[in-house]
Amino acid sequence: RAWTTVLSGGHYDMIDFSIQNRLETGTPEAQQHLRSWFKHLSTFVHSLNLARARPMPGIVTQTPAHTIASVLAVEGEDYALYLADVREAGDQGRGTTIRGDLKLKLPGGAWKVRSMNPATGKTTPLAKVKGGEVTLALPGFTDDVVLRVTKD
């Protein structure tokens, strides 16, 4: 939810629900997993020009089944997209690999697309595309994936 909030232009002041009275550093599990995920989010977000970036969900015209997209962008230069499984824990199909096409409307010109795993911070080149209506065949992912589309 933190990625969705931030890439939708929102502010989140309480993202670690494991923090409790007399346990201000969170649970051991939170320290092992959540803190590293938050570090990846922080590193990614601070690589954006936040002063110029605005939410731009309209560039996404299609997402794979069971996903929702959040987009924060500097129009015509840099697009950060977060795709998340909309199913809650316990819902049928949650935790399975998601595959499918993502369709975008990009301004003219050449663009490079990279994907990032929010849990590990690992970034992978995905494609080089021309502006216009673009269809990206996404690599399979579980739970969520981040895409960065920048001028080439």
Side-chain angles (χ1 to χ4, degrees):
R1 290 183 180 147
W3 278 91
T4 298
T5 300
V6 171
L7 292 186
S8 295
H11 170 72
Y12 218 110
D13 63 358
M14 180 61 177
I15 53 180
D16 185 349
F17 298 110
S18 70
I19 295 174
Q20 304 163 16
N21 289 336
R22 293 180 289 285
L23 193 60
E24 287 77 17
T25 60
T27 64
E29 181 182 70
Q31 289 181 0
Q32 182 181 1
H33 299 291
L34 292 177
R35 303 268 186 243
S36 65
W37 295 339
F38 296 150
K39 181 178 185 235
H40 302 312
L41 171 58
S42 177
T43 300
F44 183 85
V45 166
H46 287 95
S47 72
L48 300 171
N49 183 336
L50 294 175
R52 296 180 55 219
R54 301 288 178 262
M56 293 191 135
I59 72 155
V60 177
T61 59
Q62 177 184 317
T63 65
H66 308 293
T67 63
I68 188 168
S70 303
V71 181
L72 190 65
V74 175
E75 190 169 10
E77 296 176 24
D78 189 0
Y79 297 85
L81 298 89
Y82 175 69
L83 291 175
D85 190 333
V86 297
R87 297 170 288 191
E88 295 292 330
D91 287 352
Q92 183 177 2
R94 176 69 181 204
T96 59
T97 300
I98 295 173
R99 299 186 193 291
D101 290 340
L102 176 71
K103 293 188 179 183
L104 307 172
K105 289 188 292 187
L106 293 173
W111 297 88
K112 61 182 174 184
V113 183
R114 293 169 283 158
S115 67
M116 185 184 115
N117 180 323
T120 65
K122 182 181 178 191
T123 302
T124 306
L126 190 60
K128 289 192 176 199
V129 297
K130 298 284 184 200
E133 294 284 337
V134 175
T135 300
L136 296 170
L138 296 177
F141 65 93
T142 304
D143 296 322
D144 53 3
V145 68
V146 177
L147 300 175
R148 186 84 176 258
V149 182
T150 55
K151 280 284 198 182
D152 191 18

